[in-house]
Amino acid sequence: MTAITNIIAIDGPAGAGKSTVARAVADTLGYAFLDTGAMYRAATWWVLQRNVDFEDPEAIEDAVRVLPLEMREEAGRSRVWVGEHEVTDDIRTAAITDTIWRVDEVPGVRRHLVELQRAFGAKQPTVAEGRDMGTVVFPNARCKIYLDADPEVRARRRTDELQARGQEADYETILAAIRERDHRGMTRADSPLRPAPDAVRIDTSGMSLKEAVDAIVREARRTK
Ligand code: DC
């Protein structure tokens, strides 16, 4: 049997609170934080920047294999660079969110980013957040969490979050987009979103994010 790795794997759909919760868990435990969604976002930014043909998966894979990605934690925030461009904010725009599936469904892209993710996790105790952390990337993670929430709750949180940032946000449009992304993520051929058989499922619909963090930290300590 392969040794258990010092990884806390947190997976779940968009808007379940994963990023906020995973970062807080990492801070509490003193672990590194790995935002794998940011890696797929940066890869998509790079593919768009280079005008790669979306109909050509090999060209997408070739581009991503030379992605000059750098991620750094600064003042409680993950900052992301591609080459000399800081893309921390640019990778969160709708232009990226709407096209990311064209990049994250390319198997060669996933293979490459998974290698980088495993290398990161091998270096230090890590809280890794994404869609396939417990199922594919770190099957021997010491603790696996699947964070979920009702689509309506996730859409409400996303709407409030965008409005708080002064951006326009329509609840119904966001709900429809969340349902679409759920469907796409759960039915894709490579690394579909689903809980690992040994994951602890936490539904945050009726929970504050602090309660979710506490529950995960308890679980992480129990498995130590
Ligand atoms: O968590 P996020 O919204 O930043 O992720 C952006 C997209 O990246 C998401 O739609 C699916 C994809 N993703 C993935 O395919 N595998 C991961 N481990 C993380 C994200």
Side-chain angles (χ1 to χ4, degrees):
M1 207 183 101
T2 321
I4 301 293
T5 51
N6 210 1
I7 304 282
I8 313 295
I10 303 184
D11 292 305
K18 275 187 321 255
S19 285
T20 316
V21 167
R23 175 186 302 286
V25 170
D27 288 348
T28 308
L29 297 173
Y31 284 18
F33 171 57
L34 180 64
D35 176 356
T36 62
M39 298 172 77
Y40 287 95
R41 288 177 179 277
T44 305
W45 182 91
W46 174 246
V47 165
L48 282 168
Q49 192 79 5
R50 289 164 65 108
N51 284 320
V52 177
D53 179 3
F54 277 127
E55 303 303 326
D56 186 349
E58 268 178 42
I60 296 178
E61 176 181 347
D62 288 347
V64 173
R65 284 202 174 267
V66 294
L67 169 72
L69 177 66
E70 212 188 309
M71 295 165 82
R72 261 184 264 145
E73 286 294 305
E74 275 173 30
R77 185 163 185 244
S78 294
R79 294 180 67 185
V80 184
W81 278 265
V82 175
E84 76 251 25
H85 300 279
E86 178 170 5
V87 297
T88 310
D89 294 324
D90 290 353
I91 61 172
R92 306 279 160 199
T93 57
I96 299 292
T97 306
D98 294 346
T99 42
I100 199 162
W101 63 275
R102 310 200 65 142
V103 175
D104 71 31
E105 292 190 2
V106 176
V109 167
R110 302 204 70 86
R111 275 196 298 276
H112 179 61
L113 295 185
V114 166
E115 268 172 40
L116 299 180
Q117 292 157 13
R118 288 186 178 145
F120 184 98
K123 275 197 300 203
Q124 66 249 299
T126 297
V127 175
E129 177 244 308
R131 302 290 191 287
D132 55 350
M133 297 300 104
T135 49
V136 175
V137 184
F138 300 112
N140 300 313
R142 155 181 141 212
C143 169
K144 298 182 187 178
I145 305 290
Y146 189 85
L147 212 57
D148 209 349
D150 297 336
E152 293 79 9
V153 172
R154 292 186 276 134
R156 172 51 55 206
R157 285 185 190 150
R158 205 26 71 101
T159 310
D160 292 349
E161 196 181 290
L162 289 171
Q163 286 173 348
R165 275 196 249 143
Q167 292 179 26
E168 235 169 78
D170 172 58
Y171 169 80
E172 290 299 336
T173 310
I174 290 174
L175 178 59
I178 279 186
R179 288 192 195 282
E180 160 78 23
R181 277 176 83 193
D182 280 1
H183 179 71
R184 203 180 272 292
M186 288 171 183
T187 56
R188 71 182 177 193
D190 191 341
S191 314
L193 172 65
R194 59 183 162 78
D198 49 347
V200 174
R201 296 180 72 144
I202 298 178
D203 189 319
T204 67
S205 302
M207 255 185 190
S208 69
L209 293 184
K210 162 126 187 17
E211 287 170 322
V213 172
D214 291 346
I216 298 172
V217 167
R218 260 199 312 277
E219 186 58 23
R221 292 196 167 131
R222 193 183 66 75
T223 54
K224 198 161 181 187

mmCIF file of all heavy atoms in Angstrom, residues 11-15 18-19 35-41 44 91-92 96-97 100-101 104-105 110 114 117 129-133 137 158 181 185 188 190-191, ligand 1:
data_model
loop_
_atom_site.group_PDB
_atom_site.id
_atom_site.type_symbol
_atom_site.label_atom_id
_atom_site.label_comp_id
_atom_site.label_asym_id
_atom_site.label_seq_id
_atom_site.Cartn_x
_atom_site.Cartn_y
_atom_site.Cartn_z
ATOM 1 N N ASP A 11 -12.500 19.118 -2.325
ATOM 2 C CA ASP A 11 -13.129 19.203 -3.642
ATOM 3 C C ASP A 11 -14.572 19.656 -3.489
ATOM 4 O O ASP A 11 -15.144 19.616 -2.399
ATOM 5 C CB ASP A 11 -13.105 17.825 -4.316
ATOM 6 C CG ASP A 11 -11.695 17.389 -4.679
ATOM 7 O OD1 ASP A 11 -11.013 18.151 -5.381
ATOM 8 O OD2 ASP A 11 -11.276 16.295 -4.254
ATOM 9 N N GLY A 12 -15.150 20.030 -4.623
ATOM 10 C CA GLY A 12 -16.561 20.401 -4.610
ATOM 11 C C GLY A 12 -16.880 21.340 -5.752
ATOM 12 O O GLY A 12 -15.976 21.813 -6.447
ATOM 13 N N PRO A 13 -18.174 21.598 -5.964
ATOM 14 C CA PRO A 13 -18.589 22.442 -7.090
ATOM 15 C C PRO A 13 -18.291 23.931 -6.849
ATOM 16 O O PRO A 13 -17.959 24.327 -5.726
ATOM 17 C CB PRO A 13 -20.100 22.204 -7.151
ATOM 18 C CG PRO A 13 -20.478 21.872 -5.749
ATOM 19 C CD PRO A 13 -19.311 21.128 -5.166
ATOM 20 N N ALA A 14 -18.432 24.706 -7.908
ATOM 21 C CA ALA A 14 -18.217 26.155 -7.821
ATOM 22 C C ALA A 14 -19.183 26.771 -6.817
ATOM 23 O O ALA A 14 -20.363 26.428 -6.795
ATOM 24 C CB ALA A 14 -18.441 26.783 -9.191
ATOM 25 N N GLY A 15 -18.655 27.638 -5.979
ATOM 26 C CA GLY A 15 -19.515 28.415 -5.094
ATOM 27 C C GLY A 15 -19.870 27.747 -3.775
ATOM 28 O O GLY A 15 -20.650 28.282 -2.992
ATOM 29 N N LYS A 18 -15.304 26.730 -1.249
ATOM 30 C CA LYS A 18 -14.032 26.001 -1.163
ATOM 31 C C LYS A 18 -12.812 26.882 -0.939
ATOM 32 O O LYS A 18 -12.013 26.606 -0.055
ATOM 33 C CB LYS A 18 -13.779 25.225 -2.458
ATOM 34 C CG LYS A 18 -14.414 23.880 -2.516
ATOM 35 C CD LYS A 18 -13.957 23.144 -3.752
ATOM 36 C CE LYS A 18 -13.823 23.976 -4.937
ATOM 37 N NZ LYS A 18 -14.482 24.176 -6.041
ATOM 38 N N SER A 19 -12.674 27.927 -1.766
ATOM 39 C CA SER A 19 -11.443 28.724 -1.695
ATOM 40 C C SER A 19 -11.275 29.370 -0.331
ATOM 41 O O SER A 19 -10.216 29.269 0.294
ATOM 42 C CB SER A 19 -11.440 29.819 -2.757
ATOM 43 O OG SER A 19 -11.192 29.232 -3.986
ATOM 44 N N ASP A 35 -4.317 26.365 -4.753
ATOM 45 C CA ASP A 35 -5.577 26.671 -5.448
ATOM 46 C C ASP A 35 -5.440 26.157 -6.888
ATOM 47 O O ASP A 35 -4.901 26.849 -7.754
ATOM 48 C CB ASP A 35 -5.784 28.191 -5.403
ATOM 49 C CG ASP A 35 -7.004 28.636 -6.184
ATOM 50 O OD1 ASP A 35 -7.653 27.794 -6.832
ATOM 51 O OD2 ASP A 35 -7.303 29.849 -6.151
ATOM 52 N N THR A 36 -5.921 24.937 -7.143
ATOM 53 C CA THR A 36 -5.693 24.347 -8.469
ATOM 54 C C THR A 36 -6.607 24.960 -9.526
ATOM 55 O O THR A 36 -6.281 24.940 -10.714
ATOM 56 C CB THR A 36 -5.862 22.812 -8.457
ATOM 57 O OG1 THR A 36 -7.204 22.485 -8.086
ATOM 58 C CG2 THR A 36 -4.890 22.168 -7.499
ATOM 59 N N GLY A 37 -7.734 25.532 -9.107
ATOM 60 C CA GLY A 37 -8.591 26.239 -10.061
ATOM 61 C C GLY A 37 -7.821 27.400 -10.684
ATOM 62 O O GLY A 37 -7.936 27.673 -11.887
ATOM 63 N N ALA A 38 -6.998 28.074 -9.860
ATOM 64 C CA ALA A 38 -6.200 29.200 -10.369
ATOM 65 C C ALA A 38 -5.221 28.720 -11.439
ATOM 66 O O ALA A 38 -4.912 29.461 -12.382
ATOM 67 C CB ALA A 38 -5.450 29.880 -9.220
ATOM 68 N N MET A 39 -4.750 27.477 -11.323
ATOM 69 C CA MET A 39 -3.820 26.950 -12.335
ATOM 70 C C MET A 39 -4.551 26.751 -13.668
ATOM 71 O O MET A 39 -4.025 27.114 -14.729
ATOM 72 C CB MET A 39 -3.223 25.620 -11.853
ATOM 73 C CG MET A 39 -2.420 25.777 -10.573
ATOM 74 S SD MET A 39 -1.898 24.200 -9.861
ATOM 75 C CE MET A 39 -0.541 23.762 -10.928
ATOM 76 N N TYR A 40 -5.754 26.183 -13.617
ATOM 77 C CA TYR A 40 -6.526 26.014 -14.865
ATOM 78 C C TYR A 40 -6.927 27.379 -15.429
ATOM 79 O O TYR A 40 -6.971 27.573 -16.651
ATOM 80 C CB TYR A 40 -7.759 25.123 -14.622
ATOM 81 C CG TYR A 40 -7.364 23.675 -14.449
ATOM 82 C CD1 TYR A 40 -7.165 23.132 -13.183
ATOM 83 C CD2 TYR A 40 -7.119 22.872 -15.558
ATOM 84 C CE1 TYR A 40 -6.757 21.809 -13.024
ATOM 85 C CE2 TYR A 40 -6.708 21.553 -15.414
ATOM 86 C CZ TYR A 40 -6.526 21.032 -14.145
ATOM 87 O OH TYR A 40 -6.105 19.733 -14.003
ATOM 88 N N ARG A 41 -7.203 28.322 -14.543
ATOM 89 C CA ARG A 41 -7.543 29.673 -14.999
ATOM 90 C C ARG A 41 -6.347 30.325 -15.700
ATOM 91 O O ARG A 41 -6.474 30.936 -16.766
ATOM 92 C CB ARG A 41 -8.002 30.531 -13.808
ATOM 93 C CG ARG A 41 -9.366 30.135 -13.294
ATOM 94 C CD ARG A 41 -9.788 30.934 -12.059
ATOM 95 N NE ARG A 41 -11.107 30.533 -11.633
ATOM 96 C CZ ARG A 41 -12.246 30.989 -12.157
ATOM 97 N NH1 ARG A 41 -12.207 31.935 -13.086
ATOM 98 N NH2 ARG A 41 -13.404 30.538 -11.738
ATOM 99 N N THR A 44 -5.771 28.912 -19.062
ATOM 100 C CA THR A 44 -6.748 29.412 -20.042
ATOM 101 C C THR A 44 -6.375 30.824 -20.492
ATOM 102 O O THR A 44 -6.463 31.164 -21.680
ATOM 103 C CB THR A 44 -8.160 29.381 -19.416
ATOM 104 O OG1 THR A 44 -8.412 28.049 -18.966
ATOM 105 C CG2 THR A 44 -9.228 29.797 -20.410
ATOM 106 N N ILE A 91 -7.629 36.470 -14.223
ATOM 107 C CA ILE A 91 -8.091 35.075 -14.359
ATOM 108 C C ILE A 91 -9.448 34.840 -13.706
ATOM 109 O O ILE A 91 -10.000 33.755 -13.816
ATOM 110 C CB ILE A 91 -7.048 34.060 -13.815
ATOM 111 C CG1 ILE A 91 -6.786 34.279 -12.325
ATOM 112 C CG2 ILE A 91 -5.759 34.105 -14.626
ATOM 113 C CD1 ILE A 91 -5.923 33.185 -11.687
ATOM 114 N N ARG A 92 -9.978 35.873 -13.048
ATOM 115 C CA ARG A 92 -11.301 35.722 -12.392
ATOM 116 C C ARG A 92 -12.425 36.319 -13.241
ATOM 117 O O ARG A 92 -13.564 36.400 -12.781
ATOM 118 C CB ARG A 92 -11.318 36.420 -11.023
ATOM 119 C CG ARG A 92 -10.208 35.991 -10.090
ATOM 120 C CD ARG A 92 -10.500 34.692 -9.376
ATOM 121 N NE ARG A 92 -9.284 34.071 -8.885
ATOM 122 C CZ ARG A 92 -9.167 32.791 -8.556
ATOM 123 N NH1 ARG A 92 -10.196 31.982 -8.653
ATOM 124 N NH2 ARG A 92 -8.029 32.315 -8.138
ATOM 125 N N ILE A 96 -12.648 34.253 -18.835
ATOM 126 C CA ILE A 96 -11.922 33.027 -18.470
ATOM 127 C C ILE A 96 -12.911 31.962 -17.998
ATOM 128 O O ILE A 96 -12.887 30.815 -18.473
ATOM 129 C CB ILE A 96 -10.881 33.319 -17.361
ATOM 130 C CG1 ILE A 96 -9.834 34.344 -17.819
ATOM 131 C CG2 ILE A 96 -10.228 32.028 -16.880
ATOM 132 C CD1 ILE A 96 -8.894 33.875 -18.894
ATOM 133 N N THR A 97 -13.782 32.327 -17.077
ATOM 134 C CA THR A 97 -14.713 31.345 -16.509
ATOM 135 C C THR A 97 -15.539 30.665 -17.604
ATOM 136 O O THR A 97 -15.809 29.472 -17.535
ATOM 137 C CB THR A 97 -15.628 32.036 -15.471
ATOM 138 O OG1 THR A 97 -14.780 32.697 -14.512
ATOM 139 C CG2 THR A 97 -16.507 31.042 -14.733
ATOM 140 N N ILE A 100 -12.995 28.263 -19.842
ATOM 141 C CA ILE A 100 -12.032 27.375 -19.167
ATOM 142 C C ILE A 100 -12.261 25.902 -19.502
ATOM 143 O O ILE A 100 -11.322 25.134 -19.632
ATOM 144 C CB ILE A 100 -12.065 27.646 -17.644
ATOM 145 C CG1 ILE A 100 -10.819 27.119 -16.956
ATOM 146 C CG2 ILE A 100 -13.305 27.107 -17.003
ATOM 147 C CD1 ILE A 100 -10.592 27.724 -15.585
ATOM 148 N N TRP A 101 -13.525 25.509 -19.710
ATOM 149 C CA TRP A 101 -13.806 24.090 -19.979
ATOM 150 C C TRP A 101 -13.115 23.605 -21.248
ATOM 151 O O TRP A 101 -12.794 22.434 -21.391
ATOM 152 C CB TRP A 101 -15.320 23.848 -20.057
ATOM 153 C CG TRP A 101 -16.004 24.581 -21.178
ATOM 154 C CD1 TRP A 101 -16.463 25.865 -21.161
ATOM 155 C CD2 TRP A 101 -16.290 24.072 -22.488
ATOM 156 N NE1 TRP A 101 -17.004 26.202 -22.369
ATOM 157 C CE2 TRP A 101 -16.924 25.113 -23.204
ATOM 158 C CE3 TRP A 101 -16.078 22.841 -23.121
ATOM 159 C CZ2 TRP A 101 -17.346 24.964 -24.534
ATOM 160 C CZ3 TRP A 101 -16.496 22.694 -24.441
ATOM 161 C CH2 TRP A 101 -17.128 23.753 -25.124
ATOM 162 N N ASP A 104 -9.657 22.895 -19.666
ATOM 163 C CA ASP A 104 -9.527 21.916 -18.571
ATOM 164 C C ASP A 104 -10.023 20.528 -18.963
ATOM 165 O O ASP A 104 -9.846 19.578 -18.209
ATOM 166 C CB ASP A 104 -10.175 22.434 -17.273
ATOM 167 C CG ASP A 104 -11.698 22.484 -17.287
ATOM 168 O OD1 ASP A 104 -12.324 21.667 -17.959
ATOM 169 O OD2 ASP A 104 -12.257 23.364 -16.593
ATOM 170 N N GLU A 105 -10.639 20.393 -20.139
ATOM 171 C CA GLU A 105 -11.072 19.062 -20.574
ATOM 172 C C GLU A 105 -10.045 18.379 -21.476
ATOM 173 O O GLU A 105 -10.258 17.252 -21.919
ATOM 174 C CB GLU A 105 -12.434 19.161 -21.289
ATOM 175 C CG GLU A 105 -13.540 19.541 -20.311
ATOM 176 C CD GLU A 105 -14.949 19.419 -20.874
ATOM 177 O OE1 GLU A 105 -15.106 18.993 -22.027
ATOM 178 O OE2 GLU A 105 -15.880 19.761 -20.124
ATOM 179 N N ARG A 110 -4.480 18.338 -18.322
ATOM 180 C CA ARG A 110 -4.683 17.821 -16.970
ATOM 181 C C ARG A 110 -3.437 17.057 -16.505
ATOM 182 O O ARG A 110 -2.983 17.232 -15.381
ATOM 183 C CB ARG A 110 -5.921 16.928 -16.880
ATOM 184 C CG ARG A 110 -7.217 17.616 -17.297
ATOM 185 C CD ARG A 110 -8.437 16.958 -16.674
ATOM 186 N NE ARG A 110 -8.501 17.198 -15.241
ATOM 187 C CZ ARG A 110 -9.057 18.269 -14.685
ATOM 188 N NH1 ARG A 110 -9.613 19.206 -15.406
ATOM 189 N NH2 ARG A 110 -9.033 18.418 -13.372
ATOM 190 N N VAL A 114 -1.527 18.225 -13.232
ATOM 191 C CA VAL A 114 -1.527 17.252 -12.124
ATOM 192 C C VAL A 114 -0.089 16.985 -11.660
ATOM 193 O O VAL A 114 0.188 16.915 -10.457
ATOM 194 C CB VAL A 114 -2.252 15.944 -12.529
ATOM 195 C CG1 VAL A 114 -1.968 14.816 -11.544
ATOM 196 C CG2 VAL A 114 -3.759 16.182 -12.637
ATOM 197 N N GLN A 117 0.931 19.827 -9.550
ATOM 198 C CA GLN A 117 0.221 19.800 -8.266
ATOM 199 C C GLN A 117 0.848 18.766 -7.328
ATOM 200 O O GLN A 117 1.052 19.024 -6.138
ATOM 201 C CB GLN A 117 -1.268 19.498 -8.502
ATOM 202 C CG GLN A 117 -1.977 20.647 -9.217
ATOM 203 C CD GLN A 117 -3.242 20.232 -9.957
ATOM 204 O OE1 GLN A 117 -3.770 19.134 -9.781
ATOM 205 N NE2 GLN A 117 -3.744 21.122 -10.805
ATOM 206 N N GLU A 129 -7.000 22.431 -3.055
ATOM 207 C CA GLU A 129 -8.416 22.668 -3.344
ATOM 208 C C GLU A 129 -8.678 22.558 -4.837
ATOM 209 O O GLU A 129 -7.884 23.058 -5.636
ATOM 210 C CB GLU A 129 -8.742 24.075 -2.830
ATOM 211 C CG GLU A 129 -10.136 24.528 -3.087
ATOM 212 C CD GLU A 129 -10.170 25.730 -4.008
ATOM 213 O OE1 GLU A 129 -9.475 26.718 -3.725
ATOM 214 O OE2 GLU A 129 -10.912 25.652 -5.013
ATOM 215 N N GLY A 130 -9.759 21.872 -5.215
ATOM 216 C CA GLY A 130 -10.072 21.751 -6.641
ATOM 217 C C GLY A 130 -11.294 20.907 -6.900
ATOM 218 O O GLY A 130 -12.291 20.984 -6.184
ATOM 219 N N ARG A 131 -11.211 20.096 -7.972
ATOM 220 C CA ARG A 131 -12.334 19.232 -8.350
ATOM 221 C C ARG A 131 -11.964 17.757 -8.259
ATOM 222 O O ARG A 131 -12.818 16.907 -8.134
ATOM 223 C CB ARG A 131 -12.744 19.510 -9.807
ATOM 224 C CG ARG A 131 -13.145 20.944 -10.104
ATOM 225 C CD ARG A 131 -14.465 21.252 -9.425
ATOM 226 N NE ARG A 131 -15.026 22.515 -9.878
ATOM 227 C CZ ARG A 131 -14.570 23.709 -9.548
ATOM 228 N NH1 ARG A 131 -13.531 23.814 -8.747
ATOM 229 N NH2 ARG A 131 -15.168 24.798 -9.984
ATOM 230 N N ASP A 132 -10.659 17.467 -8.387
ATOM 231 C CA ASP A 132 -10.214 16.072 -8.483
ATOM 232 C C ASP A 132 -9.050 15.796 -7.535
ATOM 233 O O ASP A 132 -8.228 14.926 -7.792
ATOM 234 C CB ASP A 132 -9.797 15.766 -9.936
ATOM 235 C CG ASP A 132 -8.732 16.738 -10.445
ATOM 236 O OD1 ASP A 132 -8.447 17.744 -9.769
ATOM 237 O OD2 ASP A 132 -8.166 16.483 -11.529
ATOM 238 N N MET A 133 -8.979 16.552 -6.452
ATOM 239 C CA MET A 133 -7.859 16.377 -5.513
ATOM 240 C C MET A 133 -7.915 15.003 -4.849
ATOM 241 O O MET A 133 -6.919 14.280 -4.798
ATOM 242 C CB MET A 133 -7.876 17.482 -4.432
ATOM 243 C CG MET A 133 -7.684 18.890 -4.972
ATOM 244 S SD MET A 133 -6.110 19.085 -5.827
ATOM 245 C CE MET A 133 -6.627 19.060 -7.515
ATOM 246 N N VAL A 137 -5.657 13.414 -8.083
ATOM 247 C CA VAL A 137 -4.331 14.004 -7.852
ATOM 248 C C VAL A 137 -3.675 13.419 -6.599
ATOM 249 O O VAL A 137 -2.509 13.029 -6.625
ATOM 250 C CB VAL A 137 -4.417 15.543 -7.766
ATOM 251 C CG1 VAL A 137 -3.020 16.151 -7.625
ATOM 252 C CG2 VAL A 137 -5.107 16.103 -9.010
ATOM 253 N N ARG A 158 -22.595 33.833 -4.648
ATOM 254 C CA ARG A 158 -21.838 34.413 -5.758
ATOM 255 C C ARG A 158 -22.386 35.799 -6.121
ATOM 256 O O ARG A 158 -21.628 36.741 -6.346
ATOM 257 C CB ARG A 158 -21.974 33.449 -6.923
ATOM 258 C CG ARG A 158 -21.000 33.297 -8.065
ATOM 259 C CD ARG A 158 -19.575 33.632 -7.969
ATOM 260 N NE ARG A 158 -18.714 32.790 -7.170
ATOM 261 C CZ ARG A 158 -17.901 31.856 -7.612
ATOM 262 N NH1 ARG A 158 -17.827 31.602 -8.871
ATOM 263 N NH2 ARG A 158 -17.113 31.194 -6.804
ATOM 264 N N ARG A 181 -22.360 24.667 -15.231
ATOM 265 C CA ARG A 181 -20.992 24.253 -14.873
ATOM 266 C C ARG A 181 -21.010 22.952 -14.079
ATOM 267 O O ARG A 181 -20.150 22.092 -14.246
ATOM 268 C CB ARG A 181 -20.293 25.344 -14.062
ATOM 269 C CG ARG A 181 -19.671 26.433 -14.917
ATOM 270 C CD ARG A 181 -19.079 27.525 -14.065
ATOM 271 N NE ARG A 181 -17.746 27.211 -13.583
ATOM 272 C CZ ARG A 181 -17.115 27.894 -12.630
ATOM 273 N NH1 ARG A 181 -17.691 28.911 -12.049
ATOM 274 N NH2 ARG A 181 -15.912 27.558 -12.255
ATOM 275 N N GLY A 185 -19.083 19.719 -15.373
ATOM 276 C CA GLY A 185 -18.027 19.167 -14.514
ATOM 277 C C GLY A 185 -18.303 17.726 -14.109
ATOM 278 O O GLY A 185 -17.386 16.906 -13.999
ATOM 279 N N ARG A 188 -18.043 15.304 -17.497
ATOM 280 C CA ARG A 188 -16.893 15.269 -18.404
ATOM 281 C C ARG A 188 -16.161 13.921 -18.273
ATOM 282 O O ARG A 188 -16.193 13.279 -17.211
ATOM 283 C CB ARG A 188 -15.949 16.446 -18.151
ATOM 284 C CG ARG A 188 -15.167 16.363 -16.869
ATOM 285 C CD ARG A 188 -14.299 17.610 -16.695
ATOM 286 N NE ARG A 188 -13.607 17.550 -15.413
ATOM 287 C CZ ARG A 188 -12.989 18.570 -14.862
ATOM 288 N NH1 ARG A 188 -12.987 19.749 -15.462
ATOM 289 N NH2 ARG A 188 -12.372 18.439 -13.705
ATOM 290 N N ASP A 190 -12.820 13.151 -18.491
ATOM 291 C CA ASP A 190 -11.582 13.091 -17.716
ATOM 292 C C ASP A 190 -11.794 13.779 -16.371
ATOM 293 O O ASP A 190 -12.154 14.957 -16.315
ATOM 294 C CB ASP A 190 -10.469 13.803 -18.518
ATOM 295 C CG ASP A 190 -9.092 13.567 -17.910
ATOM 296 O OD1 ASP A 190 -9.002 13.186 -16.724
ATOM 297 O OD2 ASP A 190 -8.100 13.763 -18.624
ATOM 298 N N SER A 191 -11.570 13.070 -15.285
ATOM 299 C CA SER A 191 -11.634 13.627 -13.931
ATOM 300 C C SER A 191 -12.944 14.360 -13.622
ATOM 301 O O SER A 191 -12.933 15.533 -13.250
ATOM 302 C CB SER A 191 -10.466 14.597 -13.704
ATOM 303 O OG SER A 191 -9.266 14.040 -14.159
HETATM 304 O O1 DC B 1 -12.328 26.614 -8.543
HETATM 305 P P1 DC B 1 -12.391 27.543 -9.752
HETATM 306 O O2 DC B 1 -13.755 28.099 -10.024
HETATM 307 O O3 DC B 1 -11.336 28.588 -9.727
HETATM 308 O O4 DC B 1 -12.044 26.581 -10.978
HETATM 309 C C1 DC B 1 -12.107 27.036 -12.292
HETATM 310 C C2 DC B 1 -12.349 25.887 -13.257
HETATM 311 O O5 DC B 1 -11.223 25.043 -13.326
HETATM 312 C C3 DC B 1 -13.531 25.008 -12.916
HETATM 313 O O6 DC B 1 -14.621 25.365 -13.717
HETATM 314 C C4 DC B 1 -13.110 23.614 -13.250
HETATM 315 C C5 DC B 1 -11.626 23.698 -13.434
HETATM 316 N N1 DC B 1 -10.879 22.921 -12.450
HETATM 317 C C6 DC B 1 -10.583 21.618 -12.778
HETATM 318 O O7 DC B 1 -10.992 21.149 -13.840
HETATM 319 N N2 DC B 1 -9.844 20.872 -11.918
HETATM 320 C C7 DC B 1 -9.406 21.386 -10.763
HETATM 321 N N3 DC B 1 -8.657 20.637 -9.946
HETATM 322 C C8 DC B 1 -9.705 22.723 -10.410
HETATM 323 C C9 DC B 1 -10.465 23.468 -11.280
#
